[in-house]
Amino acid sequence: MRDKIETLDTLSAILPALAGSDRAEQLARLLTDEDIDTLRHLAREGMGENSLRALTSDFSYLEGWCLAATGSPLPWPAPAPLILKFIAHHLWDSEKKMSDPSHGMPDHVARALEAQKLLRTQKKSENLRPPHAPATVQRRLASWSTLHRWRGLTGDFSAAEVRSAMRLAVRVADRPRARKSRKAITADCLELLLATCDGTDYAAPSLMDIRDRALLLVGFASGGRRRSELSGMRFGQITWEAFLPLDPSDPESDLLPAASLRLGRTKTEESSDDNSVLLIGRSVDALKAWLEAARIQDGAVFRAIDQWGNLKTRALTPQSVNAIVKKRCALAGLDPQDFSAHGLRSGFLTEAANRDIPIQDAMLQSRHRSLAQASSYYSDAGRSRRRSARLLG
């Protein structure tokens, strides 16, 4: 057990999801020696941090589920009946579940996963648990299949009965895809959050206030950066640029500070891609103020601060970025349950749509590759302005 924890601690240097003794001990209980060897191999092969984090999360969930459902660790290769059981335990008919409690995931399996903090879905008021999102189930099956390939094995993931069961289960259990943030953090909402970073009548903004202000402004202005990109941002990614005019068509307009932010490897782009975005104005001022206040000249940009106001060398985690957004929402009098860090991303595109900025322009800043995904925010923002909805007055 101790050797496994030490190995996981070593991996945490390249995989922040493993950081912390509690997390390492939990994974050491769930993962076998062979599982950890697989993760170490993937790390050596240079798999992207986000992909490796997702695989580790899915890996630990699959091991925990199999132990709870069968009493045994995951078998390699996975037989078709076990894959079918996984589908049946996660995608089911909500109406049938109301009349047949044994339908779907058994209660003892759900309780075991909850005890291990692997199952986050909360029961609804009628004491019934909804099925998992089909996309989550499909991703975990894909991760399971990927881990087979890395071990040189072939599972029954493409078996006809598995494909048929998945197709039918998705049809029954499918539900509208929920936003990662129920509400978008548009410009007016962002101003409310920023106001909580201004200090008080009796005290100047704290170091935490200065950091959070920079985090919110950079996160929004850079196109709505993902929380993993904000937490992973390094000083070397920033290039200070010459001042730029407020109105690009008027060289005589006020000049604003500017900076280029090289994103490197992201969820959709490789580190070799030319994916720099430009920051102009308030976000640059806020970023400079934070770097100067924290005396940061290298390493992580956005860092942890303890309860006594002491700056740490370690970077914020993606979860910390999310917690900061929710904390600022609460301080602004908003319901934190309605917002998450992804609200900066959806808010940027929604605000761009509200200001009639061409979607192609907005996508260059947000670095969306999918027009369909980006246009969904434009469609939502433009619904109330559609002339076609007013045909009958």
Side-chain angles (χ1 to χ4, degrees), residues 325-346:
V325 171
K326 288 182 175 294
K327 172 188 172 183
R328 292 297 169 179
C329 286
L331 291 174
L334 304 173
D335 186 351
Q337 297 299 318
D338 287 337
F339 299 90
S340 73
H342 192 266
L344 293 170
R345 190 159 178 79
S346 59

Side-chain angles (χ1 to χ4, degrees), residues 23-313:
R23 180 61 170 152
E25 287 182 8
Q26 180 192 32
L27 291 174
R29 288 193 301 269
L30 288 170
L31 304 180
T32 65
D33 291 334
E34 291 76 14
D35 295 339
I36 294 174
D37 284 342
T38 300
L39 289 174
R40 187 158 45 188
H41 173 72
L42 293 173
R44 284 198 303 264
E45 291 295 315
M47 174 171 283
E49 182 181 302
N50 290 339
S51 298
L52 191 52
R53 183 187 296 114
L55 267 179
T56 304
S57 175
D58 291 340
F59 210 163
S60 56
Y61 182 87
L62 289 164
E63 283 284 12
W65 167 80
C66 192
L67 282 169
T70 70
S72 301
L74 281 174
W76 300 89
L82 184 64
I83 301 172
L84 292 172
K85 180 187 286 287
F86 181 82
I87 295 172
H89 277 197
H90 293 83
L91 296 175
W92 61 81
D93 186 338
S94 297
E95 292 185 3
K96 181 172 176 59
K97 183 75 170 176
M98 295 179 68
S99 59
D100 181 6
S102 64
H103 180 66
M105 181 180 288
D107 284 341
H108 76 275
V109 175
R111 288 195 297 270
L113 293 175
E114 282 181 334
Q116 298 179 77
K117 298 182 179 180
L118 293 172
L119 191 61
R120 299 179 180 177
T121 306
Q122 300 296 315
K123 291 185 177 180
K124 292 188 175 181
S125 57
E126 61 270 24
N127 205 37
L128 287 177
R129 186 186 304 280
H132 286 225
T136 300
V137 176
Q138 290 169 330
R139 191 200 72 229
R140 283 178 171 154
L141 288 176
S143 294
W144 202 355
S145 178
T146 296
L147 292 165
H148 274 72
R149 291 199 302 273
W150 279 100
R151 289 182 176 216
L153 301 171
T154 302
D156 288 329
F157 298 93
S158 297
E161 60 269 32
V162 171
R163 293 200 309 271
S164 177
M166 189 66 194
R167 183 171 59 252
L168 293 173
V170 168
R171 186 178 302 169
V172 171
D174 204 5
R175 53 189 174 179
R177 184 176 180 181
R179 296 284 194 196
K180 294 179 181 178
S181 181
R182 292 181 193 172
K183 294 184 179 180
I185 300 176
T186 49
D188 55 345
C189 179
L190 181 64
E191 294 300 335
L192 295 176
L193 305 190
L194 293 174
T196 70
C197 304
D198 290 340
T200 68
D201 293 338
Y202 310 101
S206 66
L207 189 62
M208 192 174 293
D209 290 330
I210 298 171
R211 179 201 63 189
D212 292 358
R213 181 179 182 83
L215 180 74
L216 292 168
L217 279 168
V218 171
F220 183 93
S222 59
R225 299 274 51 88
R226 302 175 182 90
R227 59 183 186 174
S228 60
E229 294 165 11
L230 290 170
S231 64
M233 191 178 298
R234 312 288 290 182
F235 185 84
Q237 293 174 242
I238 304 169
T239 301
W240 307 114
E241 304 285 355
F243 280 59
L244 293 172
L246 172 62
D247 182 354
S249 63
D250 179 11
E252 300 302 318
S253 64
D254 293 339
L255 295 178
L256 301 176
S260 290
L261 181 61
R262 181 172 50 81
L263 301 180
R265 184 192 291 270
T266 68
K267 182 179 179 181
T268 57
E269 297 178 295
E270 296 298 323
S271 58
S272 58
D273 292 340
D274 181 14
N275 58 355
S276 293
V277 295
L278 192 63
L279 298 175
I280 301 175
R282 295 167 65 195
S283 59
V284 179
D285 287 334
L287 181 58
K288 284 184 176 179
W290 159 243
L291 294 174
E292 290 173 4
R295 299 180 181 178
I296 294 174
Q297 297 181 341
D298 56 30
V301 171
F302 296 113
R303 304 183 182 185
I305 300 173
D306 67 22
Q307 58 184 322
W308 297 282
N310 298 315
L311 181 69
K312 301 297 183 180
T313 57

